[in-house]
Amino acid sequence: MEAEGLDWLLVPLHQLVSWGAAGAMVFGGVVPYIPQYRDIRRTQNAEGFSTYVCLVLLVANILRILFWFGRHFESPLLWQSIVMILTMLLMLKLCTEVRVTNELNVKRRFFADFDPHHFWHWSSFGDYVQCVLAFTGVAGYVTYLSIDSALFVETLGFLAVLTEAMLGVPQLYRNYRHKSTEGMSIKMVLMWTSGDTFKTAYFLLNGAPLQFSVCGLLQVLVDLAILGQAYAFARRPQKPAPHVAHPASAKAL
């Protein structure tokens, strides 16, 4: 009787927690990019942010949305991809405008030139949009033709989350190559680790497709490896390392 009497409190509390977790999944991934966006806008300097991060996240989240058509998963994960795509487009727009403004007497480059040497280094935001639309169109058409193949759908889902899971690897390799973590924010890596741990737990508890859970665990392992590097290299004299992008620009929650 006492348990039944608490239902009026426990049920809405459980619903509130569920909504909070879903909201964290949808918007948590874009939070690190807010200060990065504001910093670029304030300084009018985008050299500290790699637009290849935008490329990787755009590809990963477009593939994840296409995977949803073949195998439906949690709605918050779908909305997370949509929000992340919009965020990366905003980042690209700002970075392109700042870079073009700072470049003087530089030949303009266009997506329609189809020059592989200047891929993803175009002079107009519209060219990036054209590239994204072209990739989405081709990938969408292939998905439409192969949507009945379980193997194709599962592979598509694996590629989507694996691409995102690999975002921490460049930082891991950079630390290994320089035998140093100088210039890397430990607080940010801890934020990566906590965010990826939360995300992986969310996948496991909500019955997300296996690909999500496996790649979530991979992300956590990469984060822990980077923290291990920080501990190991802190015990030896640090060597000067080239300036690198702020870690907030190289990771999604």
Side-chain angles (χ1 to χ4, degrees), residues 5 22 28 31 39-41 48 60 63 75 78 107 115 118 141 160 166-167 177 211 223:
V31 170
D39 186 54
I40 294 173
R41 192 179 183 88
L63 292 179
S75 295
L78 178 63
K107 180 181 178 182
D115 185 349
H118 297 126
Y141 182 67
M166 291 295 100
L167 276 175
R177 187 161 55 91
Q211 297 97 322
D223 296 339

Side-chain angles (χ1 to χ4, degrees), residues 44-225:
Q44 290 297 295
N45 186 344
E47 291 184 3
F49 179 80
S50 172
T51 54
Y52 283 107
V53 172
C54 299
L55 173 62
V56 172
L57 287 174
L58 284 168
V59 170
N61 285 282
I62 289 170
L63 292 179
R64 185 195 286 187
I65 292 174
L66 294 176
F67 175 55
W68 182 85
F69 287 99
R71 182 178 176 185
H72 288 193
F73 47 79
E74 287 281 308
S75 295
L77 300 179
L78 178 63
W79 282 107
Q80 181 195 48
S81 291
I82 295 172
V83 170
M84 183 60 74
I85 288 172
L86 294 175
T87 301
M88 290 301 102
L89 289 175
L90 286 174
M91 291 295 298
L92 273 176
K93 185 175 186 297
L94 177 63
C95 290
T96 304
E97 291 174 350
V98 169
R99 189 182 73 246
V100 171
T101 301
N102 293 335
E103 288 180 344
L104 299 176
N105 301 322
V106 176
K107 180 181 178 182
R108 295 181 66 83
R109 308 183 185 102
F110 303 96
F111 169 67
D113 295 337
F114 299 111
D115 185 349
H117 296 291
H118 297 126
F119 177 77
W120 212 250
H121 288 287
W122 302 304
S123 303
S124 169
F125 172 66
D127 291 289
Y128 292 95
V129 174
Q130 291 176 37
C131 180
V132 171
L133 290 177
F135 173 77
T136 303
V138 172
Y141 182 67
V142 173
T143 301
Y144 174 76
L145 295 178
S146 309
I147 198 70
D148 293 328
S149 170
L151 178 61
F152 173 82
V153 171
E154 296 301 322
T155 302
L156 182 66
F158 181 75
L159 288 175
V161 291
L162 181 63
T163 303
E164 185 175 347
M166 291 295 100
L167 276 175
V169 172
Q171 182 69 56
L172 185 71
Y173 175 71
R174 178 258 177 202
N175 295 342
Y176 172 77
R177 187 161 55 91
H178 293 288
K179 305 300 182 185
S180 168
T181 56
E182 185 176 349
M184 185 189 74
S185 170
I186 300 299
K187 291 181 180 179
M188 184 57 62
V189 179
L190 289 171
M191 189 180 294
W192 293 357
T193 308
S194 60
D196 290 337
T197 301
F198 169 80
K199 180 172 64 176
T200 304
Y202 183 92
F203 292 158
L204 293 170
L205 294 175
N206 288 274
L210 180 62
Q211 297 97 322
F212 287 74
S213 300
V214 171
C215 290
L217 289 171
L218 179 60
Q219 281 183 283
V220 173
L221 291 176
V222 171
D223 296 339
L224 292 175

